[in-house]
Amino acid sequence: MKTPSGQRNGGPVTLQEVAAMAGVSASTVSRILNGTAVVSDAKKQAVEEAIAHLGFVPNPVARGLAGGRTLSIGVITQAIDSPFYGLAMRGIEETLASAGYSALFVSGHWDAEAEARCVDVLRSRRVDGIIILTGRLSDTALRNYARELPVVVTGRKLEAPGLYSLNFDNVEGGRLATDHLLQLGHRRIACIAGGDDHPDAVNRHRGYRAALEAAGVAYDPKMVVPGRYFEQSGMEALDRLFQLRRRFTAIFAANDQMAFGAMLGLHRRSLRVPQDVSLVGFDDLPAAAYSLPPMSTVRQPVHEIGRLSAQAMLDLLAGKAPTAVMPEPELIARDSTQPPAAEPPAR
Amino acid sequence: MKTPSGQRNGGPVTLQEVAAMAGVSASTVSRILNGTAVVSDAKKQAVEEAIAHLGFVPNPVARGLAGGRTLSIGVITQAIDSPFYGLAMRGIEETLASAGYSALFVSGHWDAEAEARCVDVLRSRRVDGIIILTGRLSDTALRNYARELPVVVTGRKLEAPGLYSLNFDNVEGGRLATDHLLQLGHRRIACIAGGDDHPDAVNRHRGYRAALEAAGVAYDPKMVVPGRYFEQSGMEALDRLFQLRRRFTAIFAANDQMAFGAMLGLHRRSLRVPQDVSLVGFDDLPAAAYSLPPMSTVRQPVHEIGRLSAQAMLDLLAGKAPTAVMPEPELIARDSTQPPAAEPPAR
DNA sequence: CTGAAAGCGCTTACAG
DNA sequence: CTGAAAGCGCTTACAG
């Protein structure tokens, strides 16, 4: 019953067939479908019955061509296989689906040009709106896109018509992580930062520095090494830290993936976490709870961020002002942090 | 120049405008675009110039309505945020993009009904084909879908018109993992299996049993506990193993995520990997190389599986018989396995 | 409240 | 080799 194929003339049921069966015009069916105008109850009834009976599902492709709406939202994620963005995508998919929308995911690969191409692809597919998870596009580019279709962007603060931004407080997150270490008594805290060209990374580092200074601990640039947000680069950053010959009792890594890499590097040097070195990450990936030891980190509610951005998009689409507000960063203390040992650790 | 918007009359450039500028009919432009018929070189030139000049990009939506092709492929993944399928999605996206196709990802949530709904959504969006990553749909359902549009499916062996399947040898994988342990001298090998309703899991378990028996080690059902493929369930499975009061010197977990959970469970019991218990996983997730200790596992080339299935789809679409062949399982020995200690470990 | 008509941007038989 | 015409399945002014 449900599947229409082969039921009548082969091929999916069309709006025309519904109209015919209900004895009304196609326009009327369309209006009922879209709630575009008031329709008499009698016809409404008839149409709804016909729809149910035939198992009619509107063709979004035709809809897109005729009305300009495709009921699909483009989502630019940086990497379709990112453990971090994956959760956001799931949140987006769930929220959108509940409103009858589909998500079209494309990967921007942390590259402004690639992202611009993504936008082109998405527009050519006539998506009704675009959600950009962080990304490298300039504010100006975003503003321009927003003139054409609704845009929701995370990872920055930006106000413009047709655009809604959801910014996570990375500075506060970095501060929280560092402060946790400070509270435990650490003073020599190294930092595995992200790249300079990555706003999140810059802000987390800023929070690190602010916490240090607020606690009266001098900021030492040599205690900070850059990374590229992957496990591998966490290990490499650790090597650099040792080359720099600075002593430290704790490390703040600007994301969990680098923290995992650092953990392995520490292990390879026979340094124990947290006995010899405490370690805090950032993001609270699902894997953080299962690392050895389970990792202290700053929770970024990615799944919810996904839901919120989708909700904001739905609001924008409905002509309402979005009210979604980004949750605050939260420190999750697990087993990778503890007070420093009395003796300074290996350099 | 590149972005057409606002260049002429506002809105994207249409095929009509290209035709007008090139002094030919719309049909001709369409034919050149699709290579549907032979066109004189002169007109071809003119049209190509006009396209370049105007920055024309065909509207896939209109294309889909008129010609039935949307240049998009539906991909049913079990979870958009799966660390495992993520890599496959990336491979699919890359391969498809290089051929001008886009992927439409939807999550089936390991549920046959949800998957059937996904197929409906995908068909209503007029995708040109569907790639199903494993999934729970019956062979019969798949065969039926394949009558309507090309289908590529992984995780099973199935021959049908319009359908291509890519099956990973999970039995061999399970055998490889278990044999690795056997070779190291283990005899008491526990198994954290997947669910009975999961074909991959069933086969990996089968391989485990086959390896044992080939080595003359009696198969003990009490050494096998079920899991649900997540970290959490790996920990729970470990608890069950201890409740069962069987002694073991090694564990084969049917996927890496459960192995991670088991590792944490072992750690909580102060059992060291690999000194007290050796552990082999399955999949070789990126995280496996960064677990503590780095985990021995059976490599499943997911990224390549993604590429291969996309390539098979492209072949199907082109009317060619796909030739993609699934790579063989491969054991990656890292640090989580070693010969058993002389003394039997804690039960 | 409701229908007939035009049109969204393409493709594809149908005729030259 | 190439054009005019019809049509894909809807939506949306335009008239009642």
Side-chain angles (χ1 to χ4, degrees), chain A residues 59-60 93 104 107 124 126, chain B residues 59-60 71 93 104 107 124 126:
Chain A
N59 177 338
E93 189 186 47
L104 210 58
S107 303
S124 83
R126 301 298 186 272
Chain B
N59 178 337
L71 292 182
E93 189 187 45
L104 211 57
S107 304
S124 83
R126 300 299 187 273

Side-chain angles (χ1 to χ4, degrees), chain A residues 186 249 272-279 293 335-341:
Chain A
H186 293 275
T249 61
R272 294 161 304 164
V273 173
Q275 295 86 340
D276 300 318
V277 178
S278 282
L279 181 63
D335 308 345
S336 67
T337 46
Q338 70 172 37

Side-chain angles (χ1 to χ4, degrees), chain B residues 110 123 139 141 146 199:
Chain B
W110 293 116
R123 285 197 302 188
D139 285 1

Side-chain angles (χ1 to χ4, degrees), chain B residues 153-176:
Chain B
V153 59
T154 68
R156 73 182 83 187
K157 198 164 184 172
L158 182 60
E159 306 213 351
L163 185 150
Y164 192 73
S165 67
L166 239 19
N167 194 201
F168 187 73
D169 193 342
N170 284 294
V171 177
E172 172 65 9
R175 216 191 51 67
L176 235 40

Side-chain angles (χ1 to χ4, degrees), chain A residues 290-292 294, chain B residues 231-232 234-236 238-239 242 251 258-271 273 279:
Chain A
Y290 287 92
S291 71
L292 251 46
Chain B
E231 287 84 352
Q232 168 78 29
M235 268 191 70
E236 294 166 359
L238 195 75
D239 289 341
F242 281 96
I251 302 176
M258 293 193 295
F260 295 144
M263 239 188 217
L264 179 55
L266 254 9
H267 175 76
R268 291 254 158 91
R269 290 184 145 80
S270 301
L271 253 20
V273 174
L279 181 62

Side-chain angles (χ1 to χ4, degrees), chain A residues 59-61 65 70-71 80-81 86-87 90 93 102 104-107 124-126 231-232 264 289-290 292, chain B residues 59-61 65 70-71 80-81 86-87 90 93 102 104-107 124-126 231-232 264 289-290 292:
Chain A
N59 177 338
V61 176
L65 229 208
T70 51
L71 292 183
I80 189 88
D81 60 328
L87 280 169
R90 178 210 273 262
E93 189 186 47
S102 297
L104 210 58
F105 298 104
V106 291
S107 303
S124 83
R125 294 201 172 269
R126 301 298 186 272
E231 288 84 352
Q232 168 78 28
L264 179 53
Y290 287 92
L292 251 46
Chain B
N59 178 337
V61 176
L65 228 208
T70 51
L71 292 182
I80 188 90
D81 59 329
L87 280 169
R90 177 210 274 261
E93 189 187 45
S102 296
L104 211 57
F105 297 104
V106 292
S107 304
S124 83
R125 294 199 172 270
R126 300 299 187 273
E231 287 84 352
Q232 168 78 29
L264 179 55
Y290 288 92
L292 253 44

Side-chain angles (χ1 to χ4, degrees), chain A residues 143-164:
Chain A
R143 278 205 189 86
N144 286 336
Y145 291 140
R147 282 208 287 255
E148 281 182 50
L149 79 183
V151 171
V152 169
V153 59
T154 68
R156 74 183 84 187
K157 197 165 186 171
L158 181 60
E159 306 213 349
L163 185 150
Y164 192 73

